[in-house]
Amino acid sequence: MSAPAHPFRTAFWDIMTDVQDPSSATADPGGASVEESRVAVVIEDEEDIRSLLSTVLAQAGFDVHGAANGADGVDLVREHRPLVTTLDVNMPGMDGFETAKRIRAISSTYIVMLSARTEEIDALQGLEAGADDYVAKPFRPRELRARIDAMLRRPRHVAPSDDAEPAASAPSDGVWLEHHGLRLNAETHLVTVDGEDVELTRSEFDILADLLVAGRRVRAKSDLALMLRGDQYAVSDFVSDSDARAIEVHMANLRRKLGESPSQPRWIETVRGVGYRLTA
């Protein structure tokens, strides 16, 4: 069978040889519970790329549902409550950025945005919309699997379903980290400021938890970037300028949601040229 003539599709056709045989696919990656439903949603308007992504995720043990546009994708996320969602940026009608915002409003699914647009501003816009990772096309299936495995090693907050009854009070179990009226519970994934709940994305929560544990020790942007991708103990500690800039975007969003001024910080201070730490 000959490869498609379209150059972009040809690239994807070529890397299909990199997809693992189903029999060699790894079982459950570290951090994912075996009892947890491994469901994935693929939102991609090009059928051949949607098929490739579905194959990669199916071989990783996911039950995969696909959609060709953002509106149908949001409906699938609402219906199936996936653990992982891949999302194309350039789609007709509702684009990937708007789709990510709508998904994030109803779900805590891990969102991986995929796009041929490789400008830094596109990646930053994706992260601001609520994505957990941004992968440039064409990608290697093994790289995508590795990125997803890294995300699954991070604690996941399970969003309540639409028909779930609200809890009467905040859970009291688990260890609370506190600093000047800011409280965080890693087990229940709760954050409060002066008693008021604060909704954070997974990346923002993980950054805040890391800083609270570090206390007055400075956490460099590279440290936080490696922590987010699950590589803090990896041999290779390379962090790109884009990764560092992504940390700055997450930090700006975190401060905005906490109601903190960078010039007069109550909780997190910037150590210019280095990173961040808790205020005294």
Side-chain angles (χ1 to χ4, degrees), residues 210-263:
D210 191 274
L211 291 172
L212 286 170
V213 170
R216 289 288 288 167
R217 289 186 294 110
V218 177
R219 292 291 281 161
K221 296 174 188 176
S222 58
D223 296 331
L224 295 173
L226 291 171
M227 178 272 298
L228 286 186
R229 70 189 194 204
D231 290 344
Q232 64 264 46
Y233 304 116
V235 175
S236 173
D237 59 355
F238 173 74
V239 174
S240 68
D241 290 341
S242 180
D243 289 333
R245 175 59 181 148
I247 293 299
E248 295 176 1
V249 173
H250 287 313
M251 186 60 66
N253 289 334
L254 173 60
R255 281 172 161 159
R256 174 176 53 80
K257 292 178 180 180
L258 294 178
E260 176 170 82
S261 168
S263 59

Side-chain angles (χ1 to χ4, degrees), residues 32-266:
S33 168
V34 291
E35 290 85 6
E36 187 173 42
S37 177
R38 290 177 64 80
V39 176
V41 166
V42 174
I43 308 174
E44 167 63 59
D45 62 319
E46 293 200 48
E47 185 176 357
D48 53 346
I49 302 175
R50 189 167 65 250
S51 176
L52 169 63
L53 290 167
S54 297
T55 300
V56 172
L57 289 167
Q59 292 180 356
F62 287 92
D63 179 17
V64 185
H65 303 271
N69 59 72
D72 289 345
V74 173
D75 289 340
L76 285 179
V77 169
R78 182 181 289 109
E79 177 182 356
H80 297 287
R81 301 182 60 78
L83 179 60
V84 174
T85 299
T86 69
L87 176 59
D88 182 35
V89 171
N90 296 316
M91 295 185 293
M94 188 191 309
D95 67 12
F97 300 126
E98 178 61 27
T99 302
K101 292 178 182 177
R102 298 193 184 191
I103 289 174
R104 190 52 75 217
I106 62 171
S107 173
S108 61
T109 179
Y110 293 97
I111 298 178
V112 182
M113 298 193 81
L114 302 118
S115 176
R117 295 159 60 172
T118 57
E119 294 296 324
E120 181 178 329
I121 186 62
D122 297 316
L124 298 179
Q125 189 174 351
L127 295 173
E128 288 180 333
D132 295 285
D133 204 351
Y134 190 100
V135 179
K137 295 179 180 179
F139 60 89
R140 305 295 298 188
R142 288 175 184 171
E143 177 192 0
L144 180 63
R145 282 283 303 275
R147 286 176 177 266
I148 290 175
D149 287 351
M151 287 192 301
L152 295 181
R153 289 195 294 268
R154 293 161 54 190
R156 184 170 76 98
H157 167 50
V158 180
S161 59
D162 294 339
D163 55 356
E165 295 183 2
S169 61
S172 59
D173 58 324
V175 177
W176 286 87
L177 301 174
E178 300 186 37
H179 182 63
H180 296 336
L182 170 65
R183 305 179 76 230
L184 178 147
N185 189 310
E187 292 186 14
T188 59
H189 207 281
L190 290 175
V191 175
T192 65
V193 172
D194 297 331
E196 297 293 327
D197 290 345
V198 178
E199 294 293 329
L200 301 178
T201 67
R202 186 175 301 103
S203 295
E204 293 160 2
F205 182 93
D206 289 346
I207 289 173
L208 180 58
D210 191 274
L211 291 172
L212 286 170
V213 170
R216 289 288 288 167
R217 289 186 294 110
V218 177
R219 292 291 281 161
K221 296 174 188 176
S222 58
D223 296 331
L224 295 173
L226 291 171
M227 178 272 298
L228 286 186
R229 70 189 194 204
D231 290 344
Q232 64 264 46
Y233 304 116
V235 175
S236 173
D237 59 355
F238 173 74
V239 174
S240 68
D241 290 341
S242 180
D243 289 333
R245 175 59 181 148
I247 293 299
E248 295 176 1
V249 173
H250 287 313
M251 186 60 66
N253 289 334
L254 173 60
R255 281 172 161 159
R256 174 176 53 80
K257 292 178 180 180
L258 294 178
E260 176 170 82
S261 168
S263 59
Q264 295 181 314
R266 177 179 173 185

